[in-house]
Amino acid sequence: MSLLEIHEPGETPLPHAGEASLAVGIDLGTTNSVVAIARDGSPAALHDEAGRALVPSVVAYPEAGGVLVGEEARLVMVREPRNAVASIKRLMGRGAADLQAVAGVLPYEVEPGSGQTDMVKLRIGGKARSPVEISAEILKALRGRAEAALDKPVERAVITVPAYFDDAARTATRDAARVAGLEVLRLVNEPTAAALAYGLDKGSEGIYAVYDLGGGTFDFSLLRLEKGVFQVLATGGDAALGGDDFDRAIAERLLDERRRDGIAERIDEAAVKSALALARQMKEQLSERDQTSGRLELAGTPSFHTLARSEFEAMIAGHVARTLDIARNVLADAATAAAAVQGVVLVGGSTRVPLVRTEVAGLIGKPALTDIDPDEVVALGAALQAEALTGGGDTLLLDVTPLSLGLETMGGIVEKVVPRNTPIPVQLAQEFTTYQDGQTAMAIHVVQGEREMVADCRSLARFELSGIPAMTAGAARIRVAFAVDADGLLTVSAEERTTGVAQRVEVKPSYGLSHDDMADMLYDSLDNAEADMTRRLLTEARVEARRSLLALEAALALDGGLLAPEERATLDAGRDRLETAIAGEDRDEINAAAEALEALSKPFAERRMDRGIREALAGLSVGELESRVGE
Amino acid sequence: MDHFARLGLPAALDLDAAALDRAYFAAQRQWHPDRFVARPPEERARASTEAAALNDAYRVLKDPIARAVYLAGLQGVEMPSDGKTIDDPDLLMEAMEAREALHEAASPEAVDALAARSRDDMTAALAGLGTLFLRGDRAAIRKTLLRLRYLDKFAEEARGRRTNLQREKA
């Protein structure tokens, strides 16, 4: 019996015709997530019973036990802030070094000692959990929602990631999907998915821009749409800039105002979370009106606050200006004038902020496209791509690497091997040489980023190429090859070429999960499956044992006279033992008792058979004899 | 197979951008890994390799400077690898003066003026390359290509400078 089949990535067998499970599109967002499905080229977001498409990307591990995702988790977050986590996407694939940049800002408790060599872990609900595990819970919830809405198993998905996500974060996203039991057909960049949602519906052609300001990330991309081809020309962004920053600006003001009003209090996690919740509410209201007010109650002390839209706009002007800087650089990267852009698609809830809309329209010189809900547009595009990949659609997505990939060379300088905005998949190689006479090993340090110095870039992996034959400095030819696949995932290999002694080392990013971590998580996620399996085996054992008890009873009723009283007593003891075992929960005991009873009843069975043979000799037909023996 | 042949295009300095796009899109329609999601692993690996080779060809041929360097390479002109110091004294002088001017530019407009001038230089140098290729003057081709490479790098530096100035102003 094969319960679970685990395949190497890329070696999943073909689904049997007719039983292919459905493939969905998932926008795994920082603040909210959405799952959608496309049928015959028309996508729809899947709603819960209350009609909501957005699932807050919040995971809670409440005191009461279990795991909650979405609205329910958000409620837990207010009651038990230490048992819930939001915005986990910001930590996908991140290590300790990255965390320093956001230290004191994130309301998370980081597991001490974690993230030195691997991905950071958080202490939530009294247990260390990785961003992959937490994200997997969100994906499981989305998968569950899809299965409930479609009434079919859902095992495959296109998942979107910010274009600006680096290799480690992409790997982490793929890992999370695996833990959630989803095969990732393709990781698609969010802006590409958004354009897909617009382009396919409207058959647009020309150059389009996608301005995506979500809760925690910002991306700006330029795409060319032409006869079903989506060509990403250039993309850029900031993985730590978004609507959460707007909330934080308001929340800081709220807490400042309380201080100014003379409220002396210790600002703890719960206070920050409450202030952020009110801040978000006020921000959303300011998209509709010029002025808003709110009441914040912390530790029983209420305070009242008002905020004008103009004040809010002054608070976030710096953030918005930064997004425009990035946009201008992307335009320059693609050698495209803003005026040549036919339209700009707005993605992400934060694009509802009026200041954002006017500034973006000002940059491009035309009003932004907003006909598709900016919260759903990415998931809808992902769903279309999922359908295209499974059903053989005609759309072609030509994506690029968002960030340059390179190697550390002498003096901590970065040598770029794959420049940013290179179309993927890509295989590029560069040759390096030894620095010292007789050098037999070379440390290879893979980095990602645009800066010249290694220290300013992100470290992805380190490995050593050893076994280089000793020769004079500069004579060895080390060829380092970078391969980025269509998902934007990187593999690096190195070999020495002069001597024909070729060594290859494949590396995966150091912030990705180690094999053991991955295995642990898979086993964790299999816990339930294992419990189901145990129950099933127990049931099977009981059924089997009851069947043999019934057979024995029938035989005793028929031929019980063949047994001496003490033999009968032993046999009855064996029957009692088996019946007690069946009433219990121990499958091994049931099986043992059944075997023991079979051994005890063996002489009885033999005597019955002898008697059967004697009866046959006394004139019974051969057919009757056989049927008796067979009993 | 060279990049031109891979896309079924003539090996020429001047390439019709639309024709290049058409050839590239058609080839990617055939080989992009998304077309092979449900195929056996060997076929997928092959598609990935083909698509990567196509992307490499497209990347090089799309950019006029990279295309010229590549074509020169096919004709036996050896270029120093990127990042090496400039070995042409005239070019070295030009580069130093331009960098100084960029450093002194105090407004985005001043940077724009410098960038526009270097763009014009680039266009003129590219236009002159055709004759050099026809003459087969390898030394002159090499000199022009090195200058183009430098001008390209200068354009990027100008952009960085402009962004910084704008940020200071904001």
Side-chain angles (χ1 to χ4, degrees):
Chain A
M1 166 186 6
S2 72
L3 248 197
L4 285 155
E5 296 178 344
I6 298 175
H7 305 282
E8 281 302 302
E11 291 186 1
T12 323
L14 298 175
H16 300 294
E19 63 176 48
S21 62
L22 293 170
V24 294
I26 292 178
D27 173 9
L28 183 60
T30 307
T31 318
N32 293 299
S33 297
V34 180
V35 57
I37 186 139
R39 274 179 284 210
D40 304 323
S42 92
L46 299 173
H47 298 246
D48 64 4
E49 307 83 50
R52 292 173 297 211
L54 295 190
V55 178
S57 301
V58 181
V59 178
Y61 302 86
E63 301 284 0
V67 185
L68 295 173
V69 174
E71 292 296 345
E72 292 84 357
R74 201 138 82 174
L75 296 178
V76 173
M77 177 164 258
V78 178
R79 269 195 335 263
E80 307 168 24
R82 300 173 80 85
N83 293 339
V85 59
S87 297
I88 192 63
K89 187 175 176 181
R90 284 193 166 191
L91 295 187
M92 285 299 265
R94 296 237 166 176
D98 305 304
L99 266 194
Q100 279 160 8
V102 284
V105 173
L106 291 172
Y108 306 135
E109 189 182 347
V110 175
E111 183 72 7
S114 81
Q116 299 305 321
T117 56
D118 54 359
M119 213 192 309
V120 71
K121 284 190 174 165
L122 303 180
R123 177 148 287 273
I124 299 178
K127 201 181 153 208
R129 301 175 202 271
S130 77
V132 168
E133 278 175 271
I134 295 164
S135 296
E137 292 299 343
I138 301 173
L139 289 170
K140 277 183 211 166
L142 294 170
R143 184 183 167 196
R145 166 179 290 204
E147 290 181 336
L150 302 166
D151 202 24
K152 284 221 175 80
V154 170
E155 281 155 5
R156 297 180 298 166
V158 165
I159 299 181
T160 60
V161 290
Y164 209 64
F165 246 23
D166 64 24
D167 197 60
R170 281 169 200 265
T171 307
T173 305
R174 246 183 187 284
D175 289 348
R178 269 178 76 188
V179 173
L182 283 168
E183 182 203 339
V184 179
L185 291 169
R186 181 72 72 227
L187 294 176
V188 172
N189 289 334
E190 287 161 9
T192 314
L196 211 50
Y198 270 98
L200 282 189
D201 284 350
K202 315 216 183 315
S204 325
E205 305 223 325
I207 294 177
Y208 283 78
V210 180
Y211 178 101
D212 178 353
L213 189 60
T217 55
F218 169 69
D219 287 298
F220 186 84
S221 307
L222 280 175
L223 298 99
R224 191 163 66 162
L225 279 59
E226 200 176 292
K227 297 183 185 70
V229 179
F230 283 69
Q231 187 187 20
V232 181
L233 296 177
T235 188
D238 187 332
L241 172 64
D244 291 354
D245 294 308
F246 299 176
D247 298 348
R248 207 167 294 122
I250 300 178
E252 273 168 22
R253 180 183 147 120
L254 298 179
L255 294 172
D256 266 354
E257 285 177 346
R258 283 172 73 88
R259 241 189 316 274
R260 221 178 318 139
D261 291 347
I263 301 172
E265 60 194 348
R266 206 179 64 84
I267 305 296
D268 58 7
E269 271 174 72
V272 170
K273 282 182 181 171
S274 302
L276 282 172
L278 177 61
R280 201 182 62 219
Q281 228 174 55
M282 293 174 82
K283 173 187 74 177
E284 286 169 5
Q285 282 164 0
L286 285 176
S287 293
E288 309 294 327
R289 44 186 122 127
D290 293 337
Q291 179 104 20
T292 185
S293 56
R295 176 181 183 277
L296 182 62
E297 184 174 326
L298 300 178
T301 315
S303 57
F304 298 89
H305 308 267
T306 58
L307 184 62
R309 187 192 277 175
S310 56
E311 291 173 289
F312 171 58
E313 290 182 344
M315 287 156 72
I316 62 167
H319 293 305
V320 178
R322 164 123 183 86
T323 67
L324 294 186
D325 275 349
I326 292 169
R328 282 189 203 98
N329 275 328
V330 171
L331 284 163
D333 261 348
T336 302
V341 176
Q342 305 227 338
V344 55
V345 171
L346 293 187
V347 181
S350 305
T351 60
R352 291 202 174 89
V353 173
L355 178 69
V356 170
R357 293 200 169 185
T358 48
E359 291 285 308
V360 173
L363 175 72
I364 304 297
K366 40 191 85 89
L369 299 172
T370 52
D371 3 348
I372 303 181
D373 184 331
D375 283 320
E376 293 181 9
V377 62
V378 167
L380 297 180
L384 284 168
Q385 186 62 5
E387 194 192 24
L389 289 177
T390 49
D394 205 36
T395 311
L396 190 61
L397 270 187
L398 302 174
D399 228 325
V400 299
T401 52
L403 296 165
S404 301
L405 295 161
L407 287 178
E408 173 171 358
T409 60
M410 288 309 296
I413 294 165
V414 178
E415 176 73 27
K416 284 176 188 158
V417 179
V418 182
R420 71 167 179 276
N421 293 324
T422 300
I424 52 174
V426 62
Q427 288 161 16
L428 287 176
Q430 202 143 313
E431 279 193 3
F432 295 86
T433 190
T434 44
Y435 179 72
Q436 280 177 329
D437 286 345
Q439 188 177 339
T440 58
M442 184 183 252
I444 297 193
H445 183 199
V446 184
V447 297
Q448 186 166 35
E450 304 313 315
R451 306 284 291 275
E452 298 298 323
M453 300 305 292
V454 167
D456 299 322
C457 288
R458 176 162 170 69
S459 169
L460 287 180
R462 286 172 191 274
F463 66 101
E464 189 163 280
L465 180 71
S466 53
I468 302 172
M471 45 189 131
T472 49
R477 285 169 57 211
I478 316 292
R479 185 173 187 272
V480 182
F482 281 54
V484 182
D485 69 14
D487 286 324
L489 294 172
L490 169 72
T491 307
V492 179
S493 56
E495 57 181 312
E496 204 291 311
R497 287 158 68 86
T498 47
T499 51
V501 182
Q503 260 209 18
R504 291 176 67 85
V505 188
E506 306 268 325
V507 284
K508 289 293 173 196
S510 48
Y511 291 111
L513 292 176
S514 73
H515 193 74
D516 286 352
D517 277 351
M518 192 70 204
D520 280 353
M521 272 182 219
L522 276 172
Y523 286 134
D524 272 354
S525 76
L526 292 186
D527 269 356
N528 281 332
E530 200 181 299
D532 291 348
M533 186 62 189
T534 310
R535 200 164 307 121
R536 178 163 155 186
L537 288 173
L538 176 63
T539 310
E540 281 174 1
R542 280 178 182 148
V543 169
E544 196 54 43
R546 280 204 194 97
R547 187 180 298 147
S548 51
L549 276 175
L550 286 173
L552 182 57
E553 227 162 275
L556 284 171
L558 212 64
D559 297 324
L562 292 171
L563 290 170
E566 59 284 3
E567 285 173 322
R568 177 65 191 245
T570 324
L571 206 51
D572 284 345
R575 287 166 70 195
D576 287 349
R577 180 185 163 194
L578 183 53
E579 268 166 22
T580 315
I582 289 173
E585 298 283 321
D586 187 345
R587 177 168 61 94
D588 291 341
E589 169 57 15
I590 295 173
N591 288 337
E595 272 172 42
L597 183 59
E598 198 192 323
L600 287 174
S601 61
K602 208 173 170 197
F604 175 50
E606 281 166 1
R607 245 172 272 169
R608 287 187 72 212
M609 200 177 305
D610 286 349
R611 181 166 141 173
I613 291 165
R614 277 200 304 276
E615 278 173 1
L617 293 176
L620 280 171
S621 76
V622 174
E624 272 177 321
L625 176 70
E626 279 179 347
S627 72
R628 279 217 191 160
V629 171
E631 258 173 27
Chain B
M1 201 188 311
D2 74 51
H3 291 335
F4 294 99
R6 187 173 290 282
L7 288 165
L9 296 165
L13 196 58
D14 286 319
L15 211 55
D16 176 19
L20 173 64
D21 282 349
R22 269 198 306 278
Y24 169 67
F25 291 161
Q28 280 291 18
R29 272 200 185 285
Q30 188 185 347
W31 288 112
H32 194 277
D34 280 356
R35 305 263 143 181
F36 291 79
V37 165
R39 309 297 301 171
E42 321 82 70
E43 283 185 42
R44 280 194 294 193
R46 164 103 201 273
S48 196
T49 309
E50 288 287 338
L54 284 169
N55 279 332
D56 197 27
Y58 182 67
R59 187 178 57 86
V60 169
L61 298 190
K62 187 180 52 171
D63 172 7
I65 298 176
R67 182 169 71 229
V69 169
Y70 181 75
L71 188 64
L74 290 182
Q75 300 188 1
V77 179
E78 291 255 350
M79 297 284 290
S81 66
D82 239 346
K84 287 268 162 59
T85 43
I86 297 170
D87 57 4
D88 175 346
D90 296 342
L91 183 53
L92 197 59
M93 189 58 82
E94 182 187 348
M96 279 167 58
E97 281 172 3
R99 289 225 166 97
E100 209 166 306
L102 183 62
H103 190 71
E104 283 165 6
S107 68
E109 293 72 29
V111 174
D112 285 346
L114 287 172
R117 205 170 67 202
S118 84
R119 218 170 19 245
D120 291 346
D121 287 354
M122 214 187 284
T123 313
L126 271 172
L129 262 181
T131 329
L132 299 180
F133 268 95
L134 276 179
R135 265 196 278 155
D137 187 345
R138 291 188 188 172
I141 291 172
R142 185 176 184 279
K143 192 177 163 93
T144 308
L145 288 177
L146 280 176
R147 177 146 184 267
L148 277 167
R149 224 189 228 176
Y150 145 74
L151 287 169
D152 194 34
K153 206 164 267 173
F154 181 79
E156 189 161 333
E157 279 168 31
R159 247 171 60 199
R161 174 84 182 142
R162 190 181 198 284
T163 308
N164 283 342
L165 284 172
Q166 256 168 349
R167 202 166 294 165
E168 280 166 26
K169 215 172 69 177

